[in-house]
Amino acid sequence: ESSKILGERLDKAAVVIAGVQKEIGEMSEIGRSMKQLQDFLRSPKLRGNIGEQILKEILGDFLPKESFFLQYRFKTGEIVDAAIRTESGLIAIDSKFPLEKFNAFHAAENEANKLNLQKEFARDVKKHIDDIAGKYILPEEGTIDYALMYIPSEAVYYEIMSNLPEVSDYAYKKRVLPVSPATFYAYMRTILISFEGKRIEEKAKEILTSLRAIQTESGKFGESLRVLTKHINDTKNTADLVNHRYSNLKTKISNVAKIDNKESETLLKEPEENESNS
């Protein structure tokens, strides 16, 4: 009986082990796929294309289509990943970013090597800032006096803003504004609010124009009403005068009629008196 129970338990254990081996095999396959994906994304050009697509999605979600351009070409021949048209001018956005030195810096185990790689990463970022400032800040072509440097990772953004203050200071001096995915969303909302403010301002102008038109029409209507009132008053005065004259005429006619009646009575009485005297 014990041998039978032990055999059943061993059979169940074999089934469990087989299941675990299957799961391990699937996890290994996922691991290989992730490694292939990492190798696939090592290409800076490919990462840049993905970054441009993400940037396109963000801009499309927040802004009207007519307010931004993708792959905007300047007269100099330079092409920026995106440009937002605002009331103040074009805002150029660069979505490419040098990540190789950052990845090597984080993978380094030796502290001295890590420090050297951090300095190289800082130099790469400064060079990228110089490229953005020189290529995409072009007030003579209608841009505003700063551009956006889109950093595709919050970790990289935090490293620059918190641990490399000389790089962030250098960016601000060059009029290049670093933005991460989170801060870029906040920036887009700010621009969207400015667009809403512009629409409200345009509506306010339309309302003021309509009010001015109403004011002009009101003035014309008031003048017409004044003239009409004058005519009505003149007509009333004329009617009162006519009524007054008619009353006078009627009175005179009545007086004349009374005189005629008296003379008629007198004439009638005179023959009667003559006859009685006779």
Side-chain angles (χ1 to χ4, degrees):
E1 185 67 23
S2 297
S3 298
K4 182 180 178 182
I5 293 172
L6 180 61
E8 290 175 354
R9 289 179 178 176
L10 288 173
D11 290 340
K12 290 180 180 178
V15 172
V16 171
I17 291 171
V20 170
Q21 288 177 336
K22 182 180 178 182
E23 295 292 334
I24 291 173
E26 292 177 355
M27 291 297 293
S28 299
E29 186 64 31
I30 292 172
R32 283 194 295 271
S33 298
M34 291 297 293
K35 187 176 184 304
Q36 290 173 358
L37 180 61
Q38 287 177 342
D39 294 337
F40 184 66
L41 292 176
R42 288 186 186 279
S43 168
K45 182 174 177 59
L46 181 60
R47 286 202 309 269
N49 292 337
I50 294 174
E52 291 171 12
Q53 184 62 31
I54 293 172
L55 181 62
K56 177 183 176 181
E57 294 296 328
I58 293 174
L59 294 174
D61 288 342
F62 274 90
L63 303 177
K65 289 183 179 179
E66 66 275 7
S67 65
F68 68 91
F69 310 94
L70 298 173
Q71 297 300 303
Y72 183 82
R73 181 184 292 273
F74 293 102
K75 293 178 183 177
T76 58
E78 299 293 346
I79 299 175
V80 69
D81 296 321
I84 301 173
R85 182 171 59 192
T86 68
E87 193 71 15
S88 302
L90 291 172
I91 302 175
I93 307 172
D94 182 88
S95 67
K96 297 178 289 294
F97 193 79
L99 287 175
E100 285 72 17
K101 289 292 191 301
F102 177 81
N103 293 331
F105 155 66
H106 267 273
E109 297 179 358
N110 184 283
E111 193 63 33
N113 190 28
K114 183 184 283 287
L115 186 60
N116 289 331
L117 289 171
Q118 186 184 45
K119 289 179 180 179
E120 291 180 12
F121 171 66
R123 282 197 296 270
D124 284 353
V125 177
K126 285 184 177 180
K127 182 179 181 302
H128 190 56
I129 291 169
D130 289 336
D131 290 341
I132 295 173
K135 293 178 181 179
Y136 308 137
I137 301 178
L138 303 170
E140 65 275 10
E141 292 200 32
T143 70
I144 60 177
D145 64 345
Y146 69 90
L148 299 184
M149 178 175 67
Y150 180 72
I151 301 172
S153 168
E154 295 293 338
V156 179
Y157 178 80
Y158 177 81
E159 179 69 27
I160 293 173
M161 303 306 289
S162 299
N163 299 331
L164 297 173
E166 71 279 4
V167 176
S168 58
D169 291 342
Y170 187 79
Y172 288 126
K173 287 178 182 177
K174 288 288 186 174
R175 310 294 294 170
V176 175
L177 180 63
V179 291
S180 68
T183 57
F184 187 62
Y185 270 105
Y187 194 84
M188 287 299 97
R189 290 193 64 83
T190 302
I191 294 178
L192 186 62
I193 290 171
S194 71
F195 283 149
E196 290 296 329
K198 180 184 175 184
R199 277 196 284 268
I200 291 171
E201 183 180 354
E202 289 174 352
K203 289 294 181 183
K205 288 180 179 177
E206 292 177 7
I207 292 171
L208 287 174
T209 301
S210 299
L211 287 175
R212 290 192 187 99
I214 292 170
Q215 185 179 25
T216 301
E217 290 299 321
S218 175
K220 293 178 180 178
F221 179 76
E223 180 62 22
S224 299
L225 184 61
R226 186 189 65 78
V227 172
L228 177 62
T229 303
K230 183 177 181 300
H231 289 326
I232 290 173
N233 289 333
D234 291 344
T235 303
K236 180 179 179 300
N237 293 335
T238 302
D240 291 342
L241 180 60
V242 170
N243 284 329
H244 179 69
R245 290 178 177 176
Y246 172 73
S247 297
N248 290 340
L249 179 62
K250 185 178 179 182
T251 301
K252 290 178 180 179
I253 292 173
S254 298
N255 292 336
V256 171
K258 288 178 181 179
I259 293 171
D260 289 343
N261 288 335
K262 288 180 180 179
E263 290 180 352
S264 298
E265 289 177 358
T266 304
L267 291 175
L268 289 173
K269 285 181 180 180
E270 285 180 355
E272 291 179 355
E273 289 177 355
N274 290 335
E275 289 177 2
S276 62
N277 290 333
S278 301

